[in-house]
Amino acid sequence: MAYDDNNVFAKILRGEIPSKKVYEDTHALAFYDIHPARPVHVLVIPKGKYADFTDFTARASAAEQTGFNKAVVAAAKAAGVIEPGYRLVANTGVNGGQEVPHFHVHILGGAHVGPMVARS
Ligand code: AMP
């Protein structure tokens, strides 16, 4: 998936459109999903321009990758879902159902999230 500078998360990072911030540090920004799928639904994005998980893993430095992982946990803490738990989702590419081409992790919680995915 190619990176598009005009994607909605790039605009949030540039401050061109608002977001409800949960957590921010040098590596990542976390904010509430505009259409929550569960009582708590937070998105965590790296500050660098990475299209998806594959791209992030291939091109981001070790410091960026470690920093991002720690930011996901910090965001989960800030959102109050560490206990009794939460689910991380990283939709990747067309078959993964990714809509926004800036790598992001969904944090879902606030209630039992349910089966891992619907069985078809
Ligand atoms: P994905 O399908 O994994 O690419 O998820 C994209 C997510 O971004 C969806 O859950 C959308 O509800 C969410 N989203 C889209 N635009 C915004 C926005 N402006 N602020 C917050 N979340 C958004």
Side-chain angles (χ1 to χ4, degrees):
M1 181 174 277
Y3 192 81
D4 172 6
D5 266 321
N6 286 319
N7 78 74
V8 67
F9 296 166
K11 289 180 180 174
I12 286 174
L13 277 175
R14 291 195 296 264
E16 293 168 9
I17 60 174
S19 67
K20 198 172 164 199
K21 193 190 326 185
V22 176
Y23 176 80
E24 182 171 17
D25 64 21
T26 55
H27 292 289
L29 173 68
F31 51 92
Y32 286 103
D33 195 293
I34 203 166
H35 293 127
R38 290 294 181 276
V40 176
H41 188 168
V42 172
L43 300 169
V44 191
I45 64 176
K47 292 203 166 166
K49 297 178 182 182
Y50 302 105
D52 60 17
F53 180 70
T54 308
D55 186 31
F56 182 67
T57 301
R59 294 195 302 111
S61 68
E64 285 176 285
Q65 296 193 43
T66 301
F68 181 78
N69 286 345
K70 288 180 181 293
V72 171
V73 174
K77 273 185 191 152
V81 298
I82 293 290
E83 294 295 342
Y86 56 96
R87 179 171 298 166
L88 301 181
V89 174
N91 298 325
T92 306
V94 173
N95 278 9
Q98 183 178 0
E99 292 171 3
V100 179
H102 182 115
F103 171 51
H104 53 282
V105 167
H106 298 249
I107 300 173
L108 299 163
H112 196 286
V113 172
M116 186 172 69
V117 288
R119 295 184 190 277
S120 53

